[in-house]
Amino acid sequence: MKSVRPDDAAVSRELVVMVSGRSIELNALAQRLGAAGANVGPLGDAAGAEPAATADFVICDLASDGALPMLEEYWSSVAEPRPGLVTLGSPPGELSERQAQILAQARQRYRRPLDVQSISEEILGVLRQPRASGRPPMSAGELPYTPPKARSSRAP
């Protein structure tokens, strides 16, 4: 998997996908998304940094140990608008109320067995849709440049 550095993602506006969990399917999905040009990295960072702050999408394998609590921690720390969320599989136990609320926000929940190719195509389709700018639109009175001055038709 490629590593994600928020500064690089912000400059180039690559498609940033963060993954939580470990499974053969999640690894295959991450590789497909990476091969298609997405910048894919782990949701948790051992250094304690928050690389997912610029994520466009988060994919969580619910059956992986620790993946759902990691998603829950991230979800509580990220501001609106949150990235798209996709979940794979089913959680191994009962969900807390907070976890159920988070999972209710998922764009898509895929049950096993997973079709990695079709899931990656769906995610890439969503990621490639035009994204709204983070800047509010400017009114005519706030244009960042001055209108051109009228030129004289006389020779200098």
Side-chain angles (χ1 to χ4, degrees), residues 85-137:
L85 174 63
V86 169
T87 62
L88 309 176
S90 301
E94 291 295 316
L95 296 175
S96 70
E97 185 176 327
R98 176 73 179 135
Q99 290 170 339
Q101 289 173 347
I102 292 169
L103 296 183
Q105 297 175 39
R107 285 181 164 257
Q108 189 63 270
R109 295 178 75 176
Y110 296 99
R111 305 280 181 223
R112 283 189 165 84
L114 302 170
D115 181 352
V116 172
Q117 182 175 350
S118 66
I119 294 171
S120 64
E121 288 170 4
E122 286 179 40
I123 292 171
L124 286 169
V126 170
L127 286 172
R128 289 185 176 142
Q129 291 177 359
R131 292 184 297 271
S133 171
R135 274 191 336 217

Side-chain angles (χ1 to χ4, degrees), residues 4-145:
V4 176
R5 294 194 336 248
D7 297 337
D8 293 347
V11 171
S12 65
R13 264 331 282 150
E14 294 176 309
L15 301 174
V16 179
V17 178
M18 306 307 290
V19 296
S20 178
R22 293 180 184 211
S23 67
I24 294 170
E25 298 98 338
L26 183 60
N27 189 40
L29 184 56
Q31 287 179 351
R32 281 185 176 268
L33 294 172
N39 197 348
V40 182
L43 184 63
D45 187 350
E50 292 187 25
T54 59
D56 296 299
F57 236 78
V58 175
I59 304 171
C60 180
D61 187 339
L62 299 174
S64 296
D65 287 339
L68 187 54
M70 190 178 300
L71 173 66
E72 186 177 12
E73 182 179 328
Y74 165 70
W75 215 252
S76 66
S77 68
V78 70
E80 296 285 343
R82 291 187 171 105
L85 174 63
V86 169
T87 62
L88 309 176
S90 301
E94 291 295 316
L95 296 175
S96 70
E97 185 176 327
R98 176 73 179 135
Q99 290 170 339
Q101 289 173 347
I102 292 169
L103 296 183
Q105 297 175 39
R107 285 181 164 257
Q108 189 63 270
R109 295 178 75 176
Y110 296 99
R111 305 280 181 223
R112 283 189 165 84
L114 302 170
D115 181 352
V116 172
Q117 182 175 350
S118 66
I119 294 171
S120 64
E121 288 170 4
E122 286 179 40
I123 292 171
L124 286 169
V126 170
L127 286 172
R128 289 185 176 142
Q129 291 177 359
R131 292 184 297 271
S133 171
R135 274 191 336 217
M138 288 190 249
S139 67
E142 299 175 338
L143 292 176
Y145 57 88

